[in-house]
Amino acid sequence: FNFKEIKREDKMKKLIGLFLVGVISVIISTGSYAADLTMRISLQLPIKSHLGQNLLLFKQEVETKSNNSIKIEIYDSAQLYKDKEVPAAVGSGSIEAGVASLTRYVGDIPAVDIFYQPFLFDSEEKVRKAVEKGSAIRGPIDEAIKGTGSTVLWWQAYGGAIMLSNGGPISNPGDMKGKKVRVFGKTLGQFVEATGGAPTLISGSEQYLAYQRGTVDVGMTGVSGVKSRKLYEVMDTITVTNHADIEFIVVVNTNWWSGLSDEQRKIISDAASVAEKSVRDKMSQIEAEAYDIAKSNGMNVVIPSKSDIEAFKKASSSVYENYKSKAGELGEKLLNAASNL
């Protein structure tokens, strides 16, 4: 044995060990080794969807501004909860945050389906005014959601509702007659019934199989979903009705939120503002790209005529009456505000 070589090796190991301890100490002292706070977010869409990419932007903003003392964990593709399960999961504190379609709150707050009143928000200008933070429409909705144990962080634009079908478009109520139609809310189901179809409530993550198996004849979604969920593989026609405005919201458990420090809340709130503006400003481009991808994959895109849209409006007028009867004073207030846009 060469004892000099062994002693030299032992000294080297000790030096390397001391170096590693020093590096770890520096990392811990800068706050970038271990997070002081972890915020889990449930998302039912794939991370590659524009809502998933929006959450990644939020994550980057929070972790950068907090020097990694706040860690954001995103569980996409309904790994933890389906869309319909998010309000209860967040409200109960089972998870810190989640993304849900606004209509998932209709059971507690019927007035939220103001955005699904047929053709009410028929321009981007009207939508932007309606969803502006503190507006006469969004403000009361955000306040009402607090009663479910959740606080709204930001709204995520998803675009206008379209129809998906095979073999031809759904351009007017006549095309809807007798068709089984996938919907993602009761009010949209009323629209389908009023225009001659039979609604079936199917979650977003189950759409592909429903179309593939023929569970329904017609789909209802936002065009960005055609891209992110590859729905062009199972449907061949898009009808651009834009009969409703689809909005998602990112909510946090109110008790968890209240327990954060002022600095933590500010970092998260500022990041939420950045994320909300980003997705809203990009929505037109996102939809345009989704239509291009749909076309490049063989889908036919049909825009109904003005007379066809008028026929849809006339046939679905009962949806407004149902809304007024169920949404109460808040619903009346939101309808009046919408009429002033």
Side-chain angles (χ1 to χ4, degrees), residues 274-331:
V274 170
E276 178 162 343
K277 184 179 186 305
S278 174
V279 73
R280 187 71 57 185
D281 290 346
K282 290 178 179 177
M283 198 61 238
S284 295
Q285 179 186 344
I286 289 168
E287 289 191 310
E289 290 175 354
Y291 279 118
D292 286 343
I293 287 175
K295 291 175 183 176
S296 68
N297 281 278
M299 294 194 82
N300 185 30
V301 177
V302 177
I303 299 176
S305 66
K306 187 176 180 179
S307 61
D308 283 334
I309 293 296
E310 288 302 319
F312 267 127
K313 288 181 178 180
K314 183 177 180 181
S316 61
S317 60
S318 61
V319 178
Y320 282 86
E321 297 307 315
N322 286 331
Y323 177 79
K324 290 175 183 176
S325 67
K326 294 178 180 178
E329 185 178 340
L330 178 57

Side-chain angles (χ1 to χ4, degrees), residues 48-66:
K48 64 184 177 182
S49 69
H50 80 270
L51 296 193
Q53 293 300 300
N54 189 237
L55 289 185
L56 288 177
L57 171 62
F58 171 74
K59 171 183 170 72
Q60 181 182 17
E61 286 286 319
V62 169
E63 293 181 348
T64 300
K65 296 296 172 58
S66 71

Side-chain angles (χ1 to χ4, degrees), residues 8 32 62 64 68 92 94 101 106 133 215 218 238 270 294 304 319:
R8 189 180 295 115
S32 58
V62 169
T64 300
N68 290 320
S92 66
S94 296
S101 174
V106 73
K133 195 170 185 177
T215 305
V218 177
I238 295 174
D270 288 349
V319 178

Side-chain angles (χ1 to χ4, degrees), residues 37 44 56 78 149 183 267 308:
L37 177 72
Q44 71 276 26
L56 288 177
V183 297
I267 289 170
D308 283 334

